[in-house]
Coordinates of all heavy atoms in Angstrom, one line a residue:
M1 N 7.2 9.7 9.4 CA 6.7 8.9 10.5 C 7.2 7.5 10.4 O 7.7 6.9 11.4 CB 5.2 8.9 10.5 CG 4.6 8.1 11.6 SD 2.8 8.5 11.6 CE 2.2 7.1 12.5
F2 N 7.2 6.8 9.3 CA 7.7 5.5 9.1 C 9.0 5.5 8.4 O 9.2 6.3 7.5 CB 6.8 4.6 8.3 CG 5.5 4.3 9.1 CD1 4.4 5.1 8.8 CD2 5.4 3.3 10.0 CE1 3.2 4.9 9.5 CE2 4.2 3.1 10.7 CZ 3.1 3.9 10.5
R3 N 10.0 4.7 8.8 CA 11.2 4.6 8.0 C 11.7 3.2 8.2 O 11.4 2.4 9.1 CB 12.2 5.6 8.5 CG 12.7 5.4 9.9 CD 13.7 6.5 10.3 NE 14.3 6.2 11.6 CZ 13.8 6.6 12.8 NH1 12.7 7.3 12.8 NH2 14.4 6.3 13.9
A4 N 12.6 2.8 7.2 CA 13.1 1.4 7.2 C 14.0 1.2 8.4 O 14.7 2.2 8.9 CB 13.9 1.1 5.9
R5 N 14.1 0.0 8.9 CA 15.0 -0.3 10.0 C 16.4 -0.2 9.5 O 16.7 -0.5 8.4 CB 14.7 -1.7 10.6 CG 13.4 -1.9 11.2 CD 13.1 -3.3 11.5 NE 14.2 -4.1 12.0 CZ 14.2 -5.0 12.9 NH1 13.0 -5.4 13.4 NH2 15.2 -5.7 13.2
P6 N 17.4 0.1 10.4 CA 18.8 0.2 9.9 C 19.3 -1.2 9.4 O 20.1 -1.2 8.5 CB 19.5 0.6 11.2 CG 18.5 1.0 12.2 CD 17.2 0.5 11.8
D7 N 18.7 -2.3 9.9 CA 19.2 -3.6 9.4 C 18.3 -4.2 8.3 O 18.4 -5.3 8.0 CB 19.2 -4.6 10.6 CG 17.9 -4.7 11.3 OD1 17.0 -3.9 11.0 OD2 17.8 -5.7 12.0
A8 N 17.5 -3.3 7.7 CA 16.6 -3.8 6.6 C 17.4 -4.1 5.4 O 18.5 -3.6 5.2 CB 15.6 -2.7 6.3
R9 N 16.9 -5.1 4.6 CA 17.6 -5.4 3.3 C 17.6 -4.1 2.4 O 16.8 -3.3 2.6 CB 16.8 -6.5 2.6 CG 17.0 -7.9 3.3 CD 16.2 -8.9 2.6 NE 14.9 -8.8 3.3 CZ 13.8 -9.5 3.0 NH1 13.8 -10.3 2.0 NH2 12.7 -9.3 3.7
P10 N 18.6 -4.1 1.5 CA 18.7 -2.9 0.7 C 17.4 -2.8 -0.2 O 16.8 -3.8 -0.6 CB 19.9 -3.1 -0.1 CG 20.3 -4.5 0.1 CD 19.6 -5.0 1.3
A11 N 17.1 -1.5 -0.5 CA 15.9 -1.2 -1.3 C 16.3 -1.3 -2.8 O 17.1 -0.5 -3.3 CB 15.3 0.1 -1.0
T12 N 15.9 -2.4 -3.5 CA 16.3 -2.6 -4.8 C 15.2 -2.8 -5.8 O 15.4 -2.9 -7.0 CB 17.2 -3.9 -4.9 OG1 16.5 -5.0 -4.4 CG2 18.5 -3.7 -4.1
I13 N 13.9 -3.0 -5.3 CA 12.8 -3.3 -6.2 C 12.1 -2.0 -6.5 O 11.5 -1.3 -5.6 CB 11.8 -4.3 -5.5 CG1 12.6 -5.5 -5.0 CG2 10.7 -4.6 -6.4 CD1 13.2 -6.3 -6.1
P14 N 12.0 -1.5 -7.8 CA 11.3 -0.3 -8.1 C 9.8 -0.5 -8.2 O 9.3 -1.5 -8.9 CB 11.9 0.1 -9.5 CG 12.3 -1.2 -10.1 CD 12.7 -2.1 -8.9
V15 N 9.0 0.3 -7.5 CA 7.5 0.2 -7.6 C 7.0 1.7 -7.8 O 7.7 2.6 -7.4 CB 6.9 -0.5 -6.4 CG1 7.3 -1.9 -6.2 CG2 7.2 0.3 -5.1
I16 N 5.8 1.8 -8.3 CA 5.2 3.1 -8.5 C 4.1 3.3 -7.5 O 3.1 2.5 -7.5 CB 4.6 3.2 -9.9 CG1 5.6 2.8 -11.0 CG2 4.1 4.7 -10.2 CD1 6.9 3.6 -11.1
V17 N 4.3 4.2 -6.6 CA 3.2 4.5 -5.6 C 2.6 5.9 -5.9 O 3.4 6.9 -5.8 CB 3.8 4.4 -4.2 CG1 2.7 4.7 -3.1 CG2 4.5 3.1 -3.9
E18 N 1.4 5.9 -6.2 CA 0.7 7.1 -6.6 C 1.5 8.0 -7.6 O 1.7 9.2 -7.5 CB 0.4 8.0 -5.4 CG -0.8 7.5 -4.6 CD -2.1 7.8 -5.3 OE1 -2.5 9.0 -5.3 OE2 -2.7 6.9 -5.8
G19 N 2.1 7.2 -8.6 CA 2.7 7.9 -9.7 C 4.2 8.2 -9.5 O 4.9 8.6 -10.4
A20 N 4.7 7.9 -8.3 CA 6.1 8.2 -8.0 C 6.9 6.9 -7.8 O 6.4 6.0 -7.1 CB 6.2 9.1 -6.7
E21 N 8.0 6.8 -8.4 CA 8.8 5.6 -8.3 C 9.6 5.6 -7.0 O 10.3 6.6 -6.7 CB 9.8 5.4 -9.5 CG 10.5 4.1 -9.4 CD 11.4 3.8 -10.6 OE1 10.8 3.6 -11.7 OE2 12.6 3.8 -10.4
I22 N 9.6 4.5 -6.3 CA 10.4 4.4 -5.1 C 11.0 3.0 -5.1 O 10.6 2.1 -5.8 CB 9.6 4.6 -3.7 CG1 8.6 3.4 -3.6 CG2 9.0 5.9 -3.7 CD1 8.1 3.4 -2.1
L23 N 12.1 2.8 -4.4 CA 12.7 1.5 -4.2 C 12.4 0.9 -2.9 O 12.4 1.6 -1.9 CB 14.2 1.7 -4.4 CG 14.8 2.1 -5.7 CD1 16.3 2.4 -5.7 CD2 14.4 1.1 -6.8
V24 N 12.0 -0.4 -2.9 CA 11.7 -1.0 -1.6 C 12.5 -2.3 -1.5 O 12.9 -2.9 -2.6 CB 10.2 -1.3 -1.5 CG1 9.4 0.0 -1.5 CG2 9.7 -2.2 -2.6
P25 N 12.7 -2.9 -0.4 CA 13.4 -4.1 -0.2 C 12.7 -5.3 -0.8 O 11.4 -5.4 -0.8 CB 13.5 -4.3 1.3 CG 13.3 -3.0 1.9 CD 12.4 -2.3 1.0
E26 N 13.4 -6.3 -1.4 CA 12.8 -7.5 -1.9 C 12.0 -8.2 -0.8 O 12.5 -8.2 0.3 CB 13.9 -8.4 -2.5 CG 13.3 -9.7 -3.1 CD 14.4 -10.5 -3.7 OE1 15.6 -10.1 -3.7 OE2 14.1 -11.6 -4.2
G27 N 10.8 -8.6 -1.1 CA 10.1 -9.3 0.0 C 9.2 -8.4 0.8 O 8.3 -8.9 1.5
A28 N 9.3 -7.1 0.6 CA 8.4 -6.2 1.3 C 7.0 -6.3 0.7 O 6.8 -6.7 -0.4 CB 8.9 -4.8 1.2
S29 N 6.0 -5.8 1.5 CA 4.7 -5.8 1.0 C 4.4 -4.5 0.3 O 5.1 -3.5 0.5 CB 3.7 -6.0 2.2 OG 3.7 -4.9 3.0
A30 N 3.3 -4.5 -0.5 CA 2.8 -3.3 -1.1 C 2.5 -2.2 0.0 O 2.6 -1.0 -0.2 CB 1.6 -3.5 -2.0
A31 N 2.0 -2.7 1.1 CA 1.6 -1.8 2.2 C 2.9 -1.1 2.8 O 2.9 0.1 3.1 CB 0.9 -2.5 3.4
A32 N 4.0 -1.9 2.9 CA 5.3 -1.3 3.3 C 5.7 -0.2 2.3 O 6.2 0.8 2.7 CB 6.3 -2.4 3.4
A33 N 5.5 -0.5 1.0 CA 5.8 0.5 0.0 C 5.0 1.8 0.2 O 5.6 2.9 0.0 CB 5.6 -0.1 -1.4
V34 N 3.8 1.6 0.5 CA 2.9 2.8 0.8 C 3.5 3.6 1.9 O 3.6 4.8 1.9 CB 1.5 2.4 1.1 CG1 0.7 3.5 1.7 CG2 0.8 1.8 -0.2
L35 N 3.9 2.9 3.0 CA 4.4 3.7 4.2 C 5.8 4.3 3.9 O 6.0 5.4 4.3 CB 4.5 2.7 5.4 CG 3.2 2.2 5.9 CD1 3.4 1.1 7.0 CD2 2.2 3.3 6.3
L36 N 6.6 3.6 3.1 CA 7.9 4.1 2.8 C 7.8 5.3 1.8 O 8.6 6.2 1.8 CB 8.8 3.0 2.1 CG 9.3 2.0 3.1 CD1 10.0 0.8 2.4 CD2 10.3 2.6 4.1
A37 N 6.7 5.3 1.0 CA 6.5 6.4 0.1 C 6.0 7.7 0.9 O 6.0 8.8 0.3 CB 5.4 6.1 -0.9
G38 N 5.6 7.5 2.1 CA 5.2 8.7 2.9 C 3.8 9.3 2.6 O 3.6 10.4 2.9
L39 N 3.0 8.4 2.0 CA 1.6 8.9 1.8 C 0.9 9.2 3.0 O 1.2 8.6 4.1 CB 0.8 7.9 1.0 CG 1.3 7.5 -0.4 CD1 0.3 6.5 -1.0 CD2 1.6 8.7 -1.3
D40 N -0.1 10.1 3.0 CA -0.9 10.4 4.1 C -2.1 9.5 4.2 O -2.8 9.4 5.3 CB -1.4 11.9 4.1 CG -2.2 12.2 2.9 OD1 -2.3 11.4 2.0 OD2 -2.7 13.3 2.9
A41 N -2.4 8.8 3.1 CA -3.5 7.8 3.1 C -3.4 7.0 1.9 O -2.9 7.4 0.9 CB -4.9 8.5 3.2
I42 N -3.9 5.7 1.9 CA -4.0 4.9 0.7 C -5.4 4.6 0.3 O -5.7 4.2 -0.8 CB -3.2 3.6 0.9 CG1 -3.0 2.9 -0.5 CG2 -3.8 2.7 1.9 CD1 -2.3 3.7 -1.5
R43 N -6.3 4.9 1.2 CA -7.7 4.7 0.9 C -8.5 5.7 1.7 O -8.0 6.3 2.7 CB -8.2 3.3 1.0 CG -8.5 2.9 2.5 CD -9.2 1.5 2.5 NE -9.5 1.2 3.9 CZ -10.8 1.2 4.3 NH1 -11.8 1.6 3.6 NH2 -11.0 0.8 5.6
E44 N -9.8 5.8 1.3 CA -10.8 6.6 2.1 C -11.9 5.7 2.4 O -12.4 4.9 1.5 CB -11.2 7.8 1.3 CG -10.1 8.7 1.0 CD -10.3 9.6 -0.3 OE1 -11.4 9.4 -0.9 OE2 -9.4 10.3 -0.6
T45 N -12.5 5.8 3.6 CA -13.7 4.9 3.9 C -14.9 5.3 3.0 O -15.0 6.5 2.7 CB -14.0 5.0 5.3 OG1 -14.4 6.4 5.6 CG2 -12.9 4.6 6.2
P46 N -15.7 4.3 2.6 CA -16.8 4.6 1.7 C -17.9 5.5 2.3 O -18.5 6.2 1.6 CB -17.4 3.2 1.4 CG -16.3 2.2 1.7 CD -15.5 2.9 2.8
V47 N -18.1 5.4 3.6 CA -19.2 6.1 4.2 C -18.8 7.6 4.6 O -19.5 8.5 4.2 CB -19.7 5.4 5.5 CG1 -20.8 6.2 6.2 CG2 -20.2 4.0 5.1
T48 N -17.7 7.7 5.3 CA -17.3 9.1 5.8 C -16.2 9.7 5.0 O -15.9 10.9 5.2 CB -17.0 9.0 7.2 OG1 -15.7 8.3 7.4 CG2 -18.1 8.4 8.1
G49 N -15.5 8.9 4.2 CA -14.3 9.5 3.5 C -13.1 9.7 4.4 O -12.2 10.4 4.0
S50 N -13.1 9.0 5.5 CA -12.0 9.1 6.4 C -10.7 8.5 5.8 O -10.8 7.4 5.3 CB -12.4 8.4 7.7 OG -11.3 8.4 8.6
P51 N -9.6 9.2 5.9 CA -8.4 8.6 5.3 C -7.8 7.4 6.1 O -7.9 7.4 7.4 CB -7.4 9.8 5.4 CG -7.9 10.6 6.5 CD -9.4 10.5 6.5
R52 N -7.2 6.5 5.5 CA -6.7 5.3 6.1 C -5.3 5.0 5.6 O -5.0 5.2 4.4 CB -7.6 4.1 5.9 CG -8.9 4.2 6.6 CD -8.7 4.0 8.1 NE -10.0 3.9 8.8 CZ -10.6 4.9 9.4 NH1 -10.1 6.1 9.4 NH2 -11.7 4.7 10.1
L53 N -4.4 4.5 6.4 CA -3.1 3.9 6.1 C -3.1 2.5 6.6 O -3.8 2.1 7.5 CB -2.0 4.7 6.7 CG -1.5 6.0 6.0 CD1 -0.5 6.7 6.9 CD2 -0.9 5.7 4.7
P54 N -2.2 1.6 6.0 CA -2.0 0.3 6.5 C -1.8 0.3 8.0 O -1.0 1.2 8.5 CB -0.8 -0.2 5.8 CG -0.8 0.5 4.5 CD -1.3 1.9 4.9
L55 N -2.4 -0.6 8.8 CA -2.3 -0.6 10.2 C -1.7 -1.9 10.7 O -0.6 -2.0 11.3 CB -3.6 -0.2 10.9 CG -3.6 -0.2 12.4 CD1 -2.8 0.9 12.9 CD2 -5.1 0.0 12.9
C56 N -2.5 -3.0 10.6 CA -2.1 -4.2 11.3 C -1.0 -5.0 10.5 O -0.3 -5.7 11.2 CB -3.4 -5.1 11.4 SG -3.9 -5.8 9.8
Q57 N -0.9 -4.8 9.2 CA 0.1 -5.5 8.4 C 0.0 -7.0 8.4 O 0.9 -7.7 8.1 CB 1.6 -5.1 8.9 CG 1.8 -3.6 8.9 CD 2.0 -3.1 7.4 OE1 2.2 -3.8 6.5 NE2 2.0 -1.7 7.3
M58 N -1.2 -7.5 8.8 CA -1.4 -8.9 8.8 C -2.8 -9.3 8.3 O -3.3 -10.4 8.6 CB -1.1 -9.5 10.1 CG -1.9 -8.9 11.2 SD -1.4 -9.6 12.8 CE -2.7 -9.0 13.9
G59 N -3.4 -8.5 7.5 CA -4.7 -8.9 6.8 C -5.9 -8.9 7.7 O -6.9 -9.4 7.3
V60 N -5.9 -8.1 8.8 CA -7.1 -8.1 9.7 C -7.9 -6.8 9.5 O -9.1 -6.8 9.5 CB -6.6 -8.3 11.1 CG1 -7.8 -8.1 12.1 CG2 -5.9 -9.6 11.3
C61 N -7.2 -5.7 9.4 CA -8.0 -4.4 9.6 C -8.5 -3.8 8.3 O -9.4 -3.0 8.3 CB -7.0 -3.3 10.2 SG -5.7 -2.7 9.1
F62 N -8.0 -4.2 7.1 CA -8.5 -3.8 5.8 C -8.2 -2.3 5.6 O -8.8 -1.7 4.7 CB -10.0 -4.1 5.5 CG -10.2 -5.6 5.3 CD1 -10.2 -6.5 6.4 CD2 -10.3 -6.1 4.0 CE1 -10.3 -7.9 6.2 CE2 -10.5 -7.5 3.8 CZ -10.5 -8.4 4.9
D63 N -7.4 -1.7 6.4 CA -7.1 -0.3 6.2 C -6.1 -0.1 5.1 O -5.7 1.1 4.7 CB -6.6 0.4 7.5 CG -7.7 0.8 8.4 OD1 -8.9 0.8 7.9 OD2 -7.5 1.0 9.6
C64 N -5.6 -1.1 4.5 CA -4.6 -1.0 3.4 C -5.2 -1.3 2.0 O -4.5 -1.4 1.1 CB -3.5 -2.0 3.7 SG -4.1 -3.7 3.6
L65 N -6.5 -1.3 1.9 CA -7.1 -1.6 0.6 C -6.6 -0.6 -0.4 O -6.7 0.6 -0.2 CB -8.6 -1.5 0.6 CG -9.3 -2.7 1.4 CD1 -10.8 -2.5 1.4 CD2 -8.9 -4.0 0.9
A66 N -6.2 -1.1 -1.6 CA -5.6 -0.2 -2.6 C -5.8 -0.8 -4.0 O -6.3 -2.0 -4.1 CB -4.1 0.0 -2.3
T67 N -5.6 0.0 -5.0 CA -5.6 -0.5 -6.3 C -4.2 -0.9 -6.7 O -3.3 0.0 -6.7 CB -6.2 0.6 -7.3 OG1 -7.5 0.9 -6.9 CG2 -6.2 0.1 -8.7
I68 N -4.0 -2.1 -7.0 CA -2.7 -2.6 -7.3 C -2.7 -3.2 -8.7 O -3.5 -4.1 -9.0 CB -2.2 -3.7 -6.3 CG1 -2.1 -3.0 -4.9 CG2 -0.8 -4.2 -6.7 CD1 -1.7 -4.0 -3.8
D69 N -1.8 -2.6 -9.5 CA -1.8 -3.0 -11.0 C -3.2 -3.0 -11.6 O -3.5 -3.9 -12.3 CB -1.1 -4.4 -11.1 CG 0.4 -4.3 -10.8 OD1 1.0 -3.3 -10.9 OD2 1.0 -5.4 -10.5
G70 N -4.0 -2.0 -11.2 CA -5.3 -1.8 -11.8 C -6.4 -2.6 -11.2 O -7.5 -2.4 -11.6
V71 N -6.1 -3.4 -10.2 CA -7.1 -4.2 -9.5 C -7.5 -3.6 -8.2 O -6.6 -3.5 -7.3 CB -6.6 -5.7 -9.3 CG1 -7.7 -6.5 -8.6 CG2 -6.2 -6.3 -10.6
P72 N -8.7 -3.1 -8.0 CA -9.1 -2.5 -6.8 C -9.3 -3.5 -5.6 O -9.4 -4.7 -5.8 CB -10.4 -1.8 -7.1 CG -11.0 -2.6 -8.2 CD -9.8 -3.1 -9.0
N73 N -9.4 -2.9 -4.4 CA -9.7 -3.7 -3.2 C -8.7 -4.8 -2.9 O -9.0 -5.8 -2.3 CB -11.1 -4.4 -3.4 CG -12.2 -3.7 -2.7 OD1 -12.0 -2.5 -2.3 ND2 -13.3 -4.3 -2.5
R74 N -7.4 -4.6 -3.2 CA -6.4 -5.5 -2.8 C -5.9 -5.1 -1.4 O -5.7 -4.0 -1.1 CB -5.2 -5.4 -3.8 CG -5.5 -5.7 -5.3 CD -5.8 -7.2 -5.6 NE -4.8 -8.1 -5.1 CZ -3.7 -8.4 -5.7 NH1 -3.4 -7.9 -6.9 NH2 -2.9 -9.3 -5.2
Q75 N -5.7 -6.1 -0.6 CA -5.1 -5.9 0.7 C -3.6 -5.7 0.5 O -2.9 -6.7 0.3 CB -5.4 -7.0 1.7 CG -6.8 -7.0 2.3 CD -7.0 -8.1 3.2 OE1 -7.3 -9.2 2.8 NE2 -6.9 -7.8 4.5
A76 N -3.1 -4.5 0.5 CA -1.7 -4.3 0.2 C -0.7 -5.0 1.1 O 0.4 -5.3 0.7 CB -1.5 -2.8 0.2
C77 N -1.2 -5.2 2.3 CA -0.2 -5.9 3.3 C -0.1 -7.4 2.9 O 0.9 -8.0 3.4 CB -0.7 -5.7 4.7 SG -2.2 -6.6 5.1
M78 N -0.9 -7.9 2.1 CA -0.9 -9.4 1.7 C -0.2 -9.6 0.3 O -0.1 -10.7 -0.1 CB -2.3 -9.9 1.7 CG -3.0 -9.9 3.0 SD -2.4 -11.2 4.2 CE -1.4 -10.2 5.3
V79 N 0.2 -8.5 -0.3 CA 0.8 -8.6 -1.6 C 2.2 -8.2 -1.6 O 2.6 -7.1 -1.3 CB 0.0 -7.6 -2.6 CG1 0.6 -7.7 -4.0 CG2 -1.5 -7.9 -2.6
P80 N 3.1 -9.1 -1.9 CA 4.5 -8.8 -2.0 C 4.8 -7.9 -3.2 O 4.2 -8.1 -4.3 CB 5.3 -10.2 -2.1 CG 4.2 -11.1 -2.5 CD 2.9 -10.6 -2.2
V81 N 5.8 -7.0 -3.1 CA 6.1 -6.1 -4.2 C 6.7 -6.9 -5.3 O 7.4 -8.0 -5.1 CB 7.0 -5.0 -3.8 CG1 6.3 -4.0 -2.8 CG2 8.3 -5.5 -3.2
A82 N 6.6 -6.4 -6.5 CA 7.3 -6.9 -7.7 C 7.7 -5.7 -8.5 O 7.1 -4.7 -8.5 CB 6.3 -7.8 -8.5
P83 N 8.8 -5.9 -9.3 CA 9.3 -4.8 -10.0 C 8.3 -4.2 -11.0 O 7.6 -4.9 -11.7 CB 10.5 -5.4 -10.9 CG 10.9 -6.6 -10.1 CD 9.6 -7.1 -9.4
G84 N 8.1 -2.9 -10.9 CA 7.2 -2.2 -11.8 C 5.7 -2.2 -11.3 O 4.9 -1.6 -11.9
M85 N 5.5 -2.8 -10.1 CA 4.1 -2.8 -9.5 C 3.6 -1.4 -9.4 O 4.4 -0.5 -9.0 CB 4.2 -3.5 -8.2 CG 2.8 -3.4 -7.4 SD 2.9 -4.3 -5.8 CE 2.7 -6.0 -6.4
R86 N 2.3 -1.2 -9.7 CA 1.7 0.1 -9.6 C 0.7 0.1 -8.4 O -0.3 -0.7 -8.5 CB 1.0 0.5 -10.9 CG 2.0 0.8 -12.0 CD 1.3 1.3 -13.2 NE 2.3 1.8 -14.2 CZ 2.9 3.0 -14.2 NH1 2.5 3.9 -13.3 NH2 3.8 3.3 -15.0
I87 N 0.9 0.9 -7.4 CA 0.0 1.0 -6.3 C -0.6 2.3 -6.2 O 0.1 3.4 -6.3 CB 0.9 0.8 -5.0 CG1 1.6 -0.5 -5.1 CG2 0.0 0.8 -3.7 CD1 2.8 -0.7 -4.0
A88 N -2.0 2.4 -6.2 CA -2.7 3.6 -6.2 C -3.7 3.7 -5.2 O -4.3 2.7 -4.7 CB -3.3 3.8 -7.6
R89 N -4.0 4.9 -4.8 CA -5.0 5.2 -3.7 C -6.4 4.7 -4.2 O -6.8 4.9 -5.4 CB -5.0 6.7 -3.5 CG -5.9 7.1 -2.3 CD -5.9 8.6 -2.1 NE -4.6 9.1 -2.0 CZ -4.1 9.8 -1.0 NH1 -4.9 10.2 0.0 NH2 -2.9 10.3 -1.0
Q90 N -7.2 4.2 -3.3 CA -8.6 3.8 -3.6 C -9.5 4.8 -2.9 O -9.4 5.0 -1.7 CB -8.8 2.4 -3.1 CG -10.3 1.9 -3.4 CD -10.4 0.5 -3.2 OE1 -9.6 -0.3 -3.7 NE2 -11.5 0.1 -2.5
H91 N -10.4 5.4 -3.7 CA -11.3 6.4 -3.2 C -12.6 5.7 -2.9 O -13.3 5.3 -3.9 CB -11.4 7.5 -4.2 CG -10.2 8.3 -4.5 ND1 -9.7 9.2 -3.6 CD2 -9.3 8.1 -5.5 CE1 -8.5 9.7 -4.1 NE2 -8.2 9.0 -5.2
G92 N -13.0 5.6 -1.7 CA -14.3 5.0 -1.3 C -14.3 3.6 -1.7 O -13.3 2.9 -1.7
A93 N -15.5 3.1 -2.0 CA -15.7 1.7 -2.3 C -15.2 1.5 -3.8 O -15.2 2.4 -4.6 CB -17.2 1.3 -2.2
R94 N -14.8 0.3 -4.1 CA -14.4 0.0 -5.5 C -15.6 0.2 -6.4 O -16.8 0.1 -5.9 CB -13.9 -1.4 -5.6 CG -14.9 -2.4 -5.5 CD -14.4 -3.8 -5.6 NE -15.5 -4.8 -5.5 CZ -15.7 -5.8 -6.3 NH1 -14.9 -6.0 -7.3 NH2 -16.7 -6.6 -6.1
E95 N -15.3 0.5 -7.6 CA -16.4 0.7 -8.6 C -17.0 -0.7 -8.9 O -16.3 -1.7 -9.0 CB -15.9 1.3 -9.9 CG -15.4 2.7 -9.6 CD -14.9 3.4 -10.9 OE1 -15.4 2.9 -12.0 OE2 -14.2 4.4 -10.8
S96 N -18.4 -0.7 -9.0 CA -19.0 -2.0 -9.3 C -18.6 -2.6 -10.6 O -18.3 -1.8 -11.5 CB -20.5 -1.9 -9.2 OG -20.9 -1.0 -10.2
G97 N -18.5 -3.9 -10.7 CA -18.1 -4.5 -12.0 C -16.6 -4.6 -12.1 O -16.1 -5.2 -13.1
A98 N -15.8 -4.0 -11.1 CA -14.4 -4.1 -11.2 C -13.9 -5.4 -10.6 O -14.5 -6.0 -9.8 CB -13.7 -2.9 -10.6
Ligands
FES1 S1 -2.8 -3.4 7.0 FE1 -4.5 -4.4 8.1 S2 -5.4 -5.6 6.5 FE2 -3.7 -4.8 5.6

């Protein structure tokens, strides 16, 4: 469904999305990495368990909440990728105390 634009910068930054390494362009967001990885969801809503993917890409919708480098509830669209970053699906609400 999503793919990089033909004029996108080359994908050179390795990140781990749900355990799989992919390369993304420098300066891309963790949300872009999720979409480039082709996941069907990055989080599930706490009440109904409805799957969600990044939508607005500008910090408004919160559909991109993910666990990034072990920290839950990160807005993936607001986090630029870094080499070796680990992005994981968040199931429901974050665990308390995290
Ligand atoms: S994609 Fe909407 S807040 Fe991140």
Side-chain angles (χ1 to χ4, degrees):
M1 181 168 159
F2 294 96
R3 62 180 190 273
R5 294 170 40 146
D7 60 344
R9 285 174 275 175
T12 58
I13 307 297
V15 298
I16 310 296
V17 181
E18 281 289 286
E21 183 175 295
I22 65 165
L23 295 174
V24 297
E26 184 177 356
S29 69
V34 166
L35 296 175
L36 288 170
L39 297 186
D40 59 351
I42 191 59
R43 77 173 185 103
E44 299 153 359
T45 59
V47 176
T48 66
S50 177
R52 293 287 190 260
L53 276 173
L55 180 65
C56 73
Q57 303 286 348
M58 58 184 187
V60 175
C61 72
F62 289 78
D63 278 344
C64 63
L65 292 180
T67 299
I68 299 177
D69 289 336
V71 179
N73 260 17
R74 302 284 312 273
Q75 280 181 281
C77 68
M78 298 286 103
V79 180
V81 294
M85 174 181 278
R86 293 186 169 275
I87 304 164
R89 187 182 306 237
Q90 181 167 312
H91 300 280
R94 70 180 179 132
E95 294 181 23
S96 61

